[in-house]
Each structure stands twice: as C-alpha cells, then as structure tokens.
Amino acid sequence: MSGIAAKVAKDRAVAEGLGTNRNPIKYQNQDYEELRAQCLASKTLFKDDQFPACVSTLGFNELGPNSAKTVGIVWKRPSEICKQPHFIIDGATRGDIRQGALGDCWLLAAIASLTLDPDILAQVVPDNQSFEKDYAGIFHFQFWQFGEWVDVVVDDRLPTKNGELVFVHSAEGDEFWSALLEKAYAKLNGSYEALSGGSTIEGFEDFTGGISEQYELKKAPADLFQIIRKALKAESLLGCSIDITSAYDSESITSRKLVKGHAYSVTGAEEVMYRGQTVQLIRVRNPWGEVEWTGPWSDNAPEWNSIDSKVRETLGNKAEDGEFWMAYTDWLREYSRLEICNLSPDTLTSNDQHKWNVTLFSGSWVRGSTAGGCQNYPGTYWTNPQFRVKLEEPDHDHSGSSRDPSCTVIVGLMQKNRRRQKKLGEDLLSIGYALYRVPKELQNQTDIHLNREFFQKTTAAGRSDTYINMREVSKRIKLPVGDYVIVPSTFEPLKPGDFCLRIFSEKAAKSLEVGDIVKADPYEPQVTDKDVTNDFKNIFQKLAGDKGEVTAKDIQNILNRLLSKRTDLKTNGFSLATCKEMISLMDMDGTQTLNLMEFKTLWMKIQKYMEIFLKADKDKSGTMDAHEIRAALQDAGFSLNNTIQQSIAQRYADIDLTITFNSFISCMIRLETLFKMFKQLDNDNSGRIEFSLPEWLCATLV
C-alpha cells in the first residue's frame, strides 16, 4: 500500500514539473546542496551511506565479495592518490578518459562523445565542483532515466589497487571528473559490475534524453556519410563497434589493431583532396586511449604526406592517443554497426531543423494482468498495455500522394531498471512492439482495450524489428494520416517488467493510453415485492429469525452452503470479512445487517456476477485465469486503467494466476463499495475528494 501511495505522490510531483533537467529528482532523496552545507559546517568529508565504500558496491559476481578481483582493493579519496587532485583541468576532453578493469567501454565511448558538446556536458556534469573551493568530499551528476532527470550524489572515495584507480582514470592521473561520473552512474545502476557490457546508445540516451537509431554497416544507405556529417554538426552522439562471432572474439585485436566487441566513439567525418581525388575520412576513438588502427590514414601513415599541410594540421592526427582517422570505405568494411543518438532526430532527414513533438508513457507488464506476450499468444496478447496516437497532419515534406499523405513517427520502447536487477539474476527481456491502424468505427472507443478479435483480424501497419533483449528498441516509421494503436510487449507472456514508450512525431499528434478512463456502471437490480418468491422468503426467515435481519455470519453460512453444491465453481467459500463487506455495500440504514429486500438485491448481484464469471471461464476449469478478469470487469460495467487492473491481479489472483469465484465476488463487492463511497463524497462531481486523516482511515478500514 505504501508503495502505491509513494507512486501517486510522485506522479503528482512530476505533473508539476519535477524530473525536468531544470528540476531533477533527487536520487534516493539526497540533496547535494544540503549535504554539502552540512559537511562544510561540521568540517567533515561526506561519506555516502547509500553507496558505501565496500565490496558490495563493487559488484555481485566477478567483482563480488569472494572474488579474487576484489582482493587488495582499497578505497581512497583523490587527495590520497595524488598530491594535488583536480576535478577538471582546462575543460573536459576525450583524453581525460582511460578505461580500467571494467567492461564498460560502451559507457566510456558515450562519455568521450559527451565532451564534444560543452552544453550537454554541463548538464551532466554541473558546474562549480572542485577540490579547492568549498571542498567537502561530495560531488553530483545528472542523468536522464526513463523519461525523467535525476541528480545523483556521490562521495569521492574511489576503488584503488596498488595506489592507482581500478576503473576509469585520466591520462594525467590527477583529474577525477570521469572517475566520479562513472561512480555516480554505477550508483544509479546498483554497482560497478552492473555496468559491464552494454550499448553506447544506452549511455548516449542517459546523458541527453535523446532518441537513438542504428545502422548495420553491411547494409549502409548510400548517403550514410552525409548522415554522419550532419549528425556530428547537429551535435548528435555517435558510436560504432565490431561484432564478435564467439566468446573468444571478445576484446580480441585484429591484424590492423581494431578491437572486436569494443565500443568506439565516432568523433569526426571529413573530406580531403588526395592525389587529385576526394577521399572521405572518419575519425574514431578507442576509449582505452591506446591500440589504434594501423591501416591507411592511421597516425603517421604515408597518405598524410600527400595532402595539404594545413589540412593535415587541422585534422590533427596524433600518435597513440586512442583517436585515429581511417578511410570511410575501410570503416564500412571493418566495423559492423553505427549507433546515433539524435538530440533533434529530424535533422537526419530534413534540412529544416525544428523540434519533434514527444509523448512519453510509463507502464508495466504484470503477470496475470498486462504481461500478455507477443502476437504468438493471441489469448493474452490483447491484454498488453495499449497506447493510441492520432496523426492528423502530414509531414511538411511527406513522400505520400496528396490523397494519402504520410507522417513520420519514431517509436522507442525502453525497459526500465534491468541493470539494477542483474545481481538478482535478472537479464534483459526480449521486447518489441506493433502498431495497428484503428478503423473508423472503433476510433471513439478509447476507454476500453481493443479485444482479442481485433488483433486476430487486423494486420500490423508497422512494428519494431525482431524481438530482442536490448534496453530499447526503436524505429522510424512512415504512416498515412490516421488513428493508430501501439502495443508494447515482451516476447513471452507472464514476463514482468517496467517500461517507457516514447512517441516522436514531426507534427503535433494526439496521444493517450487506452483505458486510462476510470468509471463504473455496475449492475443495480431494481427489486420489488414481486421479485421475492415464497421460497426465497422462507429461506430468509429461517436465517433471520424473529429479528428480521441477517448478519454477516448468516450470509456466510447460506452462501457457502449454496456454493458447495456447485460443481462448476472451485471455491473455498466466502470469508467472514467478505460477507461483512457485502453488508457494508448493501446496508442503507447502518444496522450492519440486511433486511429481506437488501438480501434479495445482494443475491441478484451475486447471480449476475456468477453468470459473468462462468462466461469468462473459457476452459471450464471452475476458476478464471487472471488475464481474463479484464473482460469480466468490462462485462460487469467497470472501466479501469492498467494500474488498477494490475493491483487487482496482484491482490485477488492465486500463486498459479487463477482467480476463484469467491475471490472474484470479493473483488466486485470491493470495487462497488469504493466507487459508491467516492460518488457519495464527490458532491460537485469534480472527480476529486478530500479526506482528513481520521476520515481516510475510517473509509479505508471498511
């Protein structure tokens, strides 16, 4: 319950602007300014109890407590490592980054590209941090995480071995911004080891909040060199890598000194005149800071002697600094993949620069509720979260006909917090999405999920590529003007996880989560004396006796006696608590008992819900599969959003994800009670009510 309350409180704060880069969320509720002021006042150096200087901070497996790799590691502050430490010397540059004993070259490649843009760098690495003025052993950095910016605080105790930094370090040894940035990112992801292995795109996006695109270089478009130059000019971040074919290939070095399975930064693209011909060159950087390409156009290669000396000086080829030039044709042949994180995605395809319209949704796949799996599982696929986007304006330079103009969207699906779950043995899920055009007759139905029949009859208008276990899948899609629904999913059903879905459109688009409207129109039987038969009256009188009213215990006895005779329902009987809640729903005079007419109304409700339950029980098992409750709730008159659906599944489903009849009735009665209570208190129909603490406790303890 407290977790739900915390989420509601956070959602309200986000709606008021929390989580923007100007007002980032304080990670783990640590306020940099307050903590720094406390340390300065007490003349102590900050010690971060949220990410302590101990072996668990290092990792959980290869860097775990019993690992040989952690033997001899000592945590030291920069002043204990060198005589005069500096945060940044003469600006942050690519040369400040040298990889250590951690497989996070993907992150270092992203950091290297970050140094090319001072504005982005200043956002990630806030100003006014140093080892001189008001030094208190505390630093902070800002990262984009799944739609919101967070400010992460760290102390400056760093892991060392034999007096030297174990992980990222600068070439000079007395500059520490990159090592502290790596530590803050490790804290955000749970440990240093959690950073091992990844895609440069992940770092790019977490430094910018941008959207990514990938190119397989064996299938490179003809204008890729122009795209790269345009991307660099637009200050996009670029990375490239060479695929490995086996585990033995990882970090292996080719005959021309390129490292397989290693993340490089692309930092330049130029054309030069060479012996009367134009040659296209690409500049690449190895975050190791060494091991460089030895082929044509490498440092000190003979090709440099045949170009203009001023051009050679401008391009600045140096020896053994980890950065090197190579011919574009060689680069295409040697490397496998290019990743681009676009700060303004449309600059890659349009000469006119303008901002994209962006919509972001956060959601969850919950077992038994919204974890429906891919289209191979039609029985549950439709229960996945659904998001609608209405494209009303075509691109200004659309490629379609005047009768069928097209719109460009980039859809990105990102799974959340999987690195933090590595230590629990959890890996990335295989994820993907499909996009369907909604026919006119269904365009106004935004309050309920499109059903199984729709997806069985409708062909996808677009989709992500093959389901894959990456943090994010994204794709640029051109679509005719129209109304669409996007369904994000895991490959297999029942795989839990959190995600965010981003929709970028060139022109304004209307977007919403399907079923986000919460309303209820439950069955309300109108009971008269004619509806009460003599048999029913006799049964009631036997229960009620002279008092003429039945108690919760009476209701429990009669209902469980009736249920025990049903072979088509698997039930352990109603609990006394559920029967008390039935009375709370039906009791109009506050006696905590039911009279004849109230009991008859309750019985008719139960019969109606029994009819709905049996209809939803497709396999006639006597129970309802948890994912089937969505359709049952709709039949019962309830439109509920995904968050409520997920809460229902978690509360009322058994461990095998089935819901018994008595659990279903308990759920229906509880929902009716809550809606009824809200309606009675919402006097002005505003959709909001206000409680004092005693009122809240009385209401929720019903």
Side-chain angles (χ1 to χ4, degrees):
M1 178 68 77
S2 59
I4 295 172
K7 185 179 185 304
V8 170
K10 182 181 175 183
D11 289 345
R12 290 179 178 177
V14 168
E16 295 174 358
L18 182 66
T20 62
N21 54 16
R22 294 182 180 180
N23 184 22
I25 293 169
K26 294 174 176 60
Y27 187 64
Q28 296 180 331
N29 294 317
Q30 290 179 301
D31 187 303
Y32 168 74
E33 296 293 347
E34 287 183 6
L35 292 170
R36 184 163 166 264
Q38 290 170 10
C39 290
L40 290 172
S42 61
K43 297 182 179 180
T44 58
L45 296 181
F46 178 62
K47 290 184 178 181
D48 186 5
D49 57 1
Q50 299 291 339
F51 201 58
C54 64
V55 72
S56 62
T57 292
L58 296 174
F60 45 86
N61 185 16
E62 291 187 6
L63 294 176
N66 300 315
S67 169
K69 292 184 177 180
T70 61
V71 174
I73 286 183
V74 179
W75 295 81
K76 292 185 176 183
R77 296 189 188 269
S79 59
E80 300 172 294
I81 300 171
C82 66
K83 290 183 178 180
Q84 191 171 1
H86 300 279
F87 187 63
I88 295 178
I89 303 174
D90 297 328
T93 66
R94 302 186 296 281
D96 300 338
I97 304 153
R98 294 288 186 271
Q99 187 173 2
L102 187 64
D104 62 348
C105 59
W106 61 274
L107 176 63
L108 309 192
I111 296 174
S113 292
L114 184 66
T115 63
L116 298 176
D117 191 314
D119 292 332
I120 300 176
L121 181 69
Q123 184 169 280
V124 177
V125 185
D127 293 334
N128 301 320
Q129 302 190 80
S130 76
F131 289 96
E132 293 83 25
K133 184 181 179 182
D134 293 332
Y135 167 69
I138 183 171
F139 295 86
H140 69 129
F141 301 86
Q142 293 180 6
F143 305 103
W144 182 90
Q145 285 285 281
F146 318 117
E148 58 193 22
W149 285 89
V150 294
D151 188 84
V152 181
V153 169
V154 290
D155 64 32
D156 62 351
R157 294 177 294 176
L158 297 167
T160 69
K161 188 176 285 191
N162 299 322
E164 296 183 351
L165 290 175
V166 175
F167 303 129
V168 167
H169 53 278
S170 68
E172 291 77 13
D174 59 352
E175 190 172 21
F176 290 92
W177 73 269
S178 58
L180 292 168
L181 172 61
E182 181 189 46
K183 181 176 183 179
Y185 199 68
K187 178 179 178 178
L188 188 65
N189 287 281
S191 68
Y192 277 95
E193 188 174 356
L195 304 184
S196 184
S199 166
T200 309
I201 280 294
E202 187 173 340
F204 284 171
E205 293 187 332
D206 286 353
F207 294 151
T208 67
I211 190 72
S212 65
E213 293 185 283
Q214 298 190 42
Y215 293 90
E216 297 296 329
L217 298 184
K218 297 297 182 286
K219 304 175 183 177
D223 60 344
L224 183 59
F225 185 79
Q226 285 72 32
I227 288 174
I228 292 171
R229 295 190 73 178
K230 199 171 186 180
L232 288 168
K233 186 176 180 181
E235 300 178 335
S236 299
L237 306 181
L238 294 83
C240 61
S241 59
I242 303 172
D243 286 345
I244 59 174
T245 54
S246 69
Y248 299 104
D249 272 351
S250 182
E251 303 292 347
S252 64
I253 301 175
T254 69
S255 60
R256 290 185 168 182
K257 301 297 183 182
L258 297 178
V259 187
K260 294 184 178 181
H262 192 61
Y264 289 79
S265 307
V266 176
T267 60
E270 298 290 343
E271 292 181 335
V272 299
M273 290 302 298
Y274 174 70
R275 296 181 178 178
Q277 292 186 330
T278 301
V279 176
Q280 296 174 333
L281 300 179
I282 291 285
R283 187 174 63 200
V284 182
R285 187 178 188 281
N286 180 352
W288 281 355
E290 53 190 23
V291 186
E292 294 188 9
W293 165 252
T294 58
W297 298 99
S298 59
D299 292 353
N300 300 319
E303 288 81 8
W304 292 106
N305 298 325
S306 299
I307 69 168
D308 185 274
S309 59
K310 291 183 179 179
V311 173
R312 184 168 65 245
E313 184 178 344
T314 300
L315 297 185
N317 61 309
K318 300 176 182 178
E320 292 305 315
D321 60 351
E323 193 166 56
F324 53 87
W325 291 94
M326 61 193 302
Y328 174 66
T329 51
D330 286 335
W331 179 78
L332 285 177
R333 184 166 50 250
E334 296 287 344
Y335 285 88
S336 308
R337 183 173 294 103
L338 170 69
E339 299 169 324
I340 303 177
C341 180
N342 303 296
L343 309 185
S344 299
D346 60 323
T347 60
L348 290 182
T349 55
S350 169
N351 292 324
D352 298 322
Q353 294 197 16
H354 59 278
K355 291 183 178 180
W356 286 66
N357 292 279
V358 182
T359 301
L360 184 143
F361 295 104
S362 290
S364 299
W365 296 297
V366 175
R367 294 179 76 248
S369 176
T370 53
C374 72
Q375 298 93 321
N376 295 348
Y377 305 90
T380 56
Y381 177 69
W382 73 279
T383 65
N384 282 299
Q386 299 176 13
F387 302 90
R388 292 281 282 273
V389 56
K390 192 169 188 177
L391 305 174
E392 297 179 308
E393 296 183 62
D395 299 347
H396 67 280
D397 58 349
H398 67 84
S399 56
S401 67
S402 58
R403 292 185 178 179
D404 195 18
S406 62
C407 308
T408 299
V409 293
I410 297 178
V411 180
L413 172 64
M414 181 182 293
Q415 48 190 317
K416 294 183 178 181
N417 302 316
R418 302 305 292 190
R419 286 191 179 276
R420 294 189 64 83
Q421 296 171 303
K422 275 188 174 184
K423 62 183 178 183
L424 304 177
E426 297 286 343
D427 207 346
L428 287 167
L429 300 167
S430 289
I431 60 171
Y433 60 81
L435 188 147
Y436 304 83
R437 189 162 189 174
V438 179
K440 289 182 179 180
E441 61 271 19
L442 297 177
Q443 286 179 7
N444 293 326
Q445 294 185 16
T446 58
D447 57 336
I448 59 173
H449 266 50
L450 296 173
N451 59 24
R452 174 177 178 171
E453 288 71 27
F454 171 83
F455 294 106
Q456 287 181 312
K457 295 177 181 177
T458 308
T459 303
R463 62 177 70 246
S464 58
D465 295 327
T466 307
Y467 278 76
I468 190 169
N469 57 339
M470 292 181 65
R471 186 177 79 152
E472 184 181 45
V473 294
S474 61
K475 190 171 184 179
R476 184 183 296 257
I477 306 172
K478 283 192 176 292
L479 298 164
V481 170
D483 199 344
Y484 297 86
V485 62
I486 303 171
V487 183
S489 72
T490 58
F491 181 74
E492 297 178 21
L494 306 181
K495 296 291 185 181
D498 299 320
F499 66 86
C500 67
L501 181 74
R502 293 188 289 169
I503 305 168
F504 289 70
S505 56
E506 183 170 306
K507 294 293 183 69
K510 296 177 181 178
S511 304
L512 58 86
E513 182 175 358
V514 176
D516 201 34
I517 299 171
V518 177
K519 61 182 182 180
D521 185 21
Y523 172 59
E524 293 291 354
Q526 302 300 315
V527 181
T528 64
D529 290 338
K530 296 179 181 179
D531 298 312
V532 183
T533 64
N534 289 330
D535 288 342
F536 189 90
K537 190 178 295 185
N538 290 334
I539 293 172
F540 178 82
Q541 289 173 346
K542 287 180 182 179
L543 286 170
D546 295 337
K547 60 185 182 294
E549 302 267 338
V550 290
T551 65
K553 188 64 178 176
D554 297 329
I555 293 173
Q556 183 186 31
N557 289 334
I558 186 62
L559 290 181
N560 289 346
R561 196 182 309 159
L562 292 170
L563 286 178
S564 66
K565 299 177 182 180
R566 298 290 299 245
T567 59
D568 53 349
L569 297 173
K570 285 187 179 179
T571 175
N572 296 321
F574 291 112
S575 68
L576 185 60
T578 297
C579 294
K580 286 182 177 180
E581 194 153 346
M582 292 178 183
I583 287 183
S584 294
L585 173 66
M586 305 304 305
D587 179 25
M588 293 294 104
D589 52 16
T591 62
Q592 296 301 306
T593 58
L594 299 185
N595 61 32
L596 175 62
M597 300 301 285
E598 290 169 339
F599 183 66
K600 177 62 177 179
T601 303
L602 173 64
W603 178 241
M604 292 178 70
K605 278 182 176 290
I606 292 173
Q607 286 182 306
K608 178 66 174 179
Y609 289 142
M610 185 184 300
E611 177 186 320
I612 293 170
F613 181 88
L614 293 172
K615 177 185 174 184
D617 179 18
K618 302 290 185 183
D619 57 3
K620 307 303 178 187
S621 63
T623 62
M624 180 194 301
D625 289 341
H627 68 265
E628 293 173 333
I629 197 170
R630 185 184 293 273
L633 286 165
Q634 290 178 4
D635 287 345
F638 294 98
S639 294
L640 306 175
N641 64 25
N642 281 331
T643 303
I644 301 172
Q645 298 274 359
Q646 291 157 1
S647 296
I648 287 172
Q650 291 169 336
R651 177 167 180 173
Y652 292 100
D654 292 337
I655 194 169
D656 61 353
L657 298 180
T658 59
I659 296 175
T660 62
F661 177 66
N662 44 298
S663 290
F664 177 67
I665 294 296
S666 297
C667 176
M668 294 297 100
I669 296 297
R670 184 66 174 160
L671 278 174
E672 280 205 47
T673 301
L674 292 173
F675 271 101
K676 183 177 180 180
M677 184 187 307
F678 188 94
K679 187 174 181 180
Q680 287 176 339
L681 295 172
D682 184 17
N683 296 321
D684 56 358
N685 294 318
S686 65
R688 287 182 175 273
I689 56 177
E690 187 174 305
F691 283 106
S692 67
L693 180 58
E695 289 171 338
W696 165 253
L697 291 173
C698 287
T700 54
L701 287 173
V702 170

